[in-house]
Amino acid sequence: MSTSHSPLSETVAEATRSRRAPDFITQAIQEDLASGRFDHVATRFPPEPNGYLHIGHAKAMCIDFGMAEKFGGRCNLRFDDTNPAKEEQEYVDAIIEDVRWMGFDFGERVYFASDYFEQMYEWAEDLIKKGRAYVCDLSPEEVSATRGTLTQPGTESPYRNRCVEENLDLFRRMRAGEFPEGSRTLRAKIDMAHPNLNMRDPVMYRILHREHHRTGKKWCIYPMYDWAHGLEDSIEGITHSLCSLEYENHRPLYDWFLDQLGIYHPRQIEFARLNMTYTVLSKRLLLQLVEEGYVSGWDDPRMPTLRGLRRRGYTPQAIRTFCELIGIAKTDSVVDVALLEHCVREDLNKSAPRVMAVLRPLRLVIDNYPEGKVEELEAINNPEDPGAGTRRVPFSKVLYIEQDDFRESPPAKYYRLYPGNEVRLRYAYYVRCTHCVKDAQGNVVEVHCTYDPATRGGQSADGRRVQATLHWVSAAHAVEGEVRLYDRLFKCADPLEVAPGHSFIENLNPHSLEVLRGCKLEPSLAKAAAGARYQFERLGYFCVDSADSRPGALVFNRTVALKDTWAKIARKGME
Ligand code: ATP
Ligand code: MG
């Protein structure tokens, strides 16, 4: 695959351009409607149910459903379930759920290629009768060995010139289950010297004595994808069959089949697949990660699957915005994963309530604060959304702060807590550090400070300024929880770049998951519902894990940290 790694600034520039001019697919559809080639728009999203959907599929869905919506048409959800060896009902159910979660509307239009098997079979007999297909007794190995190469023509099968009667008889007996798996195929009779290898007598049917998740034992011959796909589009009256670039050189074959059969013809338009840094987007490789236990499942929050992203805290809107920004292109490129992270950050910034949580707690004792006193301080739920209101957070003599927010000997430009320094506790008071207490090993276990009662709410009456504001949680009121911090699943931008004999598995990032237990959360989080999203002040966006979190044993996933390298680079790119 020839891909170019586009720096962030280029992607932003491209996104800016594409917001001005309509993309090439929109233009093509506009032309078709203007010329009268089509008078409506019908598209489809055609996943094979052999794995869970990933962010690449989200891009395809945004295009398929997006174009239908843009032109007031319809988009079908169609399962390309032609290979019983790899497909399962579990995947069908998960895909339907994921498409719905993304918010795409397919109404009642859930279709299955397997519902068309009988019609496809009849069309295959048609082609045989027209002398355009033949039963071939070569083994799969022999078929590929005689295909030829890009520079050399293939060799014709010795069975190529069987008569129509013999072909019909053999094909019917294939269907009846008389022959073992792999012993025969039905092939299209096109041209073994064709410059496009897909046109060199491609296999249309193979014998597979397998039970299908929908048709059961009804069939023991199954259509090949290339034979089936164009027919499915034709049956459903698809006007614009939008697919990724790898199908470009299959298009002449789809056209050939439809022309030979003399049936309705959609227009196929190809777009570039989504590739993303630090990510693999192939169901085969994702399945390997799951099966070999490198991740906890298809919904592991580090996975680029829609389930993984959802569990991680991504919103459908953030994913849609991402797909909009990357636009639709004709050439493959690699998108920086930082753009996806940027999109979810922007979305959650508007919608996620702020709360305080201390991930690596250190006791802070306010020596001059009355023992046993508790104040309820007013905290703003979301400065971006005045309608989100305020809440009350308990404050008392003993608090937790982050270990990182105290240094006994501060490095240069360290403005947080150190002996003698004064900081603001968010929504509370100014406190000045007096000293710290250490254990036998010399670790700081407790920090002591005094507070200034005149700074309630975090403002000093005398205009005295501090250079840091820390988040905190009252020790007596804190709720405990587990927090899972995620880093990229792979340690290099292109995980598939490996030396011969090596596997992408070696590029896994050994530090992609860090589990913190005994984190201290503000008490309002005690009732946090599964899937709920928050901004932990100063730390990032987090959501309640939908699989492992229980009331009383909360588990949070970090969706994304606050720091936005993307926004910085993007601003530069715009200058
Ligand atoms: P994979 O290689 O991950 O198995 P696939 O293409 O085999 O993907 P399908 O289930 O056949 O997966 O894909 C359904 C639709 O999604 C197809 O139209 C395909 O072109 C599109 N699609 C799959 N991956 C991507 C991607 N990375 N970017 C854009 N579209 C994609
Ligand atoms: Mg596929």
Side-chain angles (χ1 to χ4, degrees):
M1 182 171 49
S2 78
T3 57
S4 63
H5 187 121
S6 53
L8 294 179
S9 52
E10 256 176 52
T11 315
V12 169
E14 174 59 36
T16 319
R17 270 198 298 279
S18 65
R19 244 175 273 136
R20 275 186 234 121
D23 62 273
F24 70 93
I25 297 181
T26 301
Q27 284 180 23
I29 298 178
Q30 280 168 345
E31 282 160 22
D32 287 345
L33 294 174
S35 72
R37 177 171 174 181
F38 296 107
D39 64 1
H40 68 288
V41 172
T43 61
R44 83 288 171 269
F45 171 62
E48 184 184 352
N50 62 349
Y52 287 75
L53 298 184
H54 53 60
I55 181 93
H57 294 112
K59 172 176 176 174
M61 282 192 271
C62 284
I63 296 174
D64 297 332
F65 286 96
M67 290 298 161
E69 200 177 316
K70 192 184 286 186
F71 291 98
R74 62 181 160 83
C75 178
N76 297 347
L77 173 59
R78 181 211 308 147
F79 289 95
D80 236 316
D81 55 348
T82 53
N83 183 2
K86 290 191 182 159
E87 296 158 3
E88 289 170 30
Q89 186 62 37
E90 172 200 340
Y91 297 135
V92 171
D93 298 338
I95 289 171
I96 291 178
E97 201 181 288
D98 286 352
V99 178
R100 287 223 171 94
W101 177 71
M102 281 295 296
F104 292 117
D105 176 25
F106 47 86
E108 302 292 304
R109 298 181 309 278
V110 182
Y111 301 121
F112 294 86
S114 53
D115 288 343
Y116 311 142
F117 281 174
E118 193 64 50
Q119 172 69 74
M120 291 177 188
Y121 177 85
E122 281 169 30
W123 277 330
E125 284 207 354
D126 268 7
L127 285 195
I128 293 174
K129 289 173 193 157
K130 287 179 171 145
R132 297 296 184 191
Y134 61 97
V135 172
C136 177
D137 300 359
L138 295 180
S139 68
E141 296 75 32
E142 288 167 325
V143 170
S144 54
T146 51
R147 173 144 302 162
T149 64
L150 283 175
T151 49
Q152 284 187 317
T155 339
E156 293 192 351
S157 162
Y159 307 97
R160 196 171 199 263
N161 295 314
R162 276 177 164 152
C163 65
V164 169
E165 289 68 35
E166 188 183 1
N167 279 322
L168 266 185
D169 173 61
L170 286 172
F171 188 49
R172 286 172 185 165
R173 287 165 60 197
M174 275 169 66
R175 176 179 182 169
E178 287 187 29
F179 308 121
E181 223 167 274
S183 61
R184 290 192 157 94
T185 55
L186 183 74
R187 296 176 70 180
K189 192 169 177 177
I190 308 179
D191 178 1
M192 287 306 290
H194 202 286
N196 182 342
L197 268 73
N198 294 314
M199 302 294 278
R200 294 186 187 169
D201 290 12
V203 172
M204 296 163 59
Y205 276 93
R206 63 221 193 281
I207 300 172
L208 277 177
H209 291 282
R210 302 274 184 124
E211 219 170 301
H212 185 279
H213 64 99
R214 295 190 78 246
T215 56
K217 292 188 176 147
K218 179 161 185 220
W219 295 89
C220 62
I221 54 171
Y222 287 95
M224 298 299 289
Y225 184 85
D226 274 351
W227 161 243
H229 194 76
L231 305 183
E232 295 158 20
D233 282 346
S234 180
I235 291 170
E236 291 176 19
I238 299 304
T239 58
H240 296 87
S241 180
L242 312 174
C243 58
S244 37
L245 276 181
E246 72 268 27
Y247 298 104
E248 190 167 17
N249 56 10
H250 296 244
R251 176 156 35 94
L253 178 56
Y254 302 159
D255 290 344
W256 189 89
F257 283 133
L258 298 175
D259 290 343
Q260 295 301 321
L261 294 167
I263 58 176
Y264 169 81
H265 219 142
R267 174 175 181 188
Q268 174 171 312
I269 305 172
E270 303 87 9
F271 57 83
R273 282 173 89 89
L274 168 67
N275 301 295
M276 209 161 58
T277 57
Y278 299 95
T279 311
V280 296
L281 289 182
S282 148
K283 281 182 280 185
R284 185 175 55 81
L285 301 181
L286 296 176
L287 179 65
Q288 188 182 341
L289 292 175
V290 173
E291 285 187 335
E292 295 177 9
Y294 294 106
V295 294
S296 63
W298 285 99
D299 67 345
D300 187 300
R302 292 166 293 179
M303 289 281 270
T305 51
L306 295 183
R307 314 229 122 182
L309 291 167
R310 170 157 88 225
R311 192 170 157 196
R312 175 89 169 246
Y314 273 74
T315 57
Q317 188 52 52
I319 297 172
R320 281 183 179 226
T321 304
F322 168 75
C323 292
E324 234 163 77
L325 275 178
I326 57 177
I328 309 176
K330 255 290 184 203
T331 43
D332 277 316
S333 69
V334 183
V335 176
D336 198 311
V337 69
L339 178 59
L340 180 62
E341 293 164 353
H342 168 76
C343 290
V344 74
R345 212 179 263 122
E346 291 271 291
D347 190 32
L348 294 178
N349 182 44
K350 284 178 259 147
S351 59
R354 268 69 159 166
V355 292
M356 292 196 284
V358 174
L359 302 193
R360 295 175 179 89
L362 174 62
R363 274 165 67 89
L364 177 72
V365 181
I366 308 171
D367 290 318
N368 62 340
Y369 195 85
E371 195 85 44
K373 177 174 174 177
V374 178
E375 286 180 85
E376 296 276 329
L377 300 174
E378 188 165 41
I380 295 166
N381 288 333
N382 189 349
E384 300 284 320
D385 175 9
T390 60
R391 70 189 184 288
R392 304 205 153 259
V393 186
F395 182 86
S396 65
K397 184 181 178 76
V398 182
L399 312 172
Y400 287 109
I401 59 168
E402 296 289 344
Q403 290 167 14
D404 235 19
D405 284 340
F406 172 79
R407 294 289 168 85
E408 195 179 12
S409 342
K413 295 197 175 157
Y414 186 88
Y415 301 118
R416 292 171 262 169
L417 218 49
Y418 55 86
N421 194 36
E422 188 173 50
V423 299
R424 175 189 296 111
L425 295 178
R426 184 93 160 126
Y427 302 121
Y429 295 98
Y430 282 16
V431 292
R432 186 180 300 276
C433 179
T434 52
H435 64 286
C436 65
V437 178
K438 295 188 207 174
D439 64 11
Q441 285 78 45
N443 302 311
V444 175
V445 290
E446 198 170 272
V447 176
H448 285 256
C449 64
T450 55
Y451 85 118
D452 175 357
T455 57
R456 196 177 196 272
Q459 261 68 250
S460 77
D462 60 6
R464 192 166 90 243
R465 297 171 79 103
V466 288
Q467 283 185 287
T469 300
L470 311 187
H471 62 276
W472 50 271
V473 173
S474 166
H477 305 89
V479 180
E480 287 221 351
E482 174 180 321
V483 172
R484 299 174 182 170
L485 303 179
Y486 300 99
D487 196 354
R488 289 163 186 172
L489 187 52
F490 292 94
K491 58 189 176 197
C492 50
D494 182 359
L496 298 181
E497 198 179 279
V498 286
H502 289 262
S503 156
F504 77 109
I505 295 292
E506 293 165 52
N507 287 331
L508 281 167
N509 173 7
H511 309 294
S512 60
L513 169 62
E514 186 182 358
V515 178
L516 302 174
R517 298 204 170 84
C519 304
K520 307 289 184 181
L521 316 168
E522 70 165 68
S524 74
L525 287 174
K527 341 177 263 305
R533 304 177 180 96
Y534 299 90
Q535 184 192 107
F536 288 1
E537 295 218 18
R538 297 174 67 223
L539 298 173
Y541 295 96
F542 293 75
C543 81
V544 180
D545 188 78
S546 46
D548 299 338
S549 195
R550 305 274 173 275
L554 289 167
V555 179
F556 283 86
N557 295 316
R558 184 171 68 192
T559 311
V560 68
L562 282 185
K563 202 176 120 219
D564 196 339
T565 47
W566 163 266
K568 237 183 273 164
I569 297 165
R571 268 196 301 277
K572 256 192 219 146
M574 296 292 199
E575 277 163 18

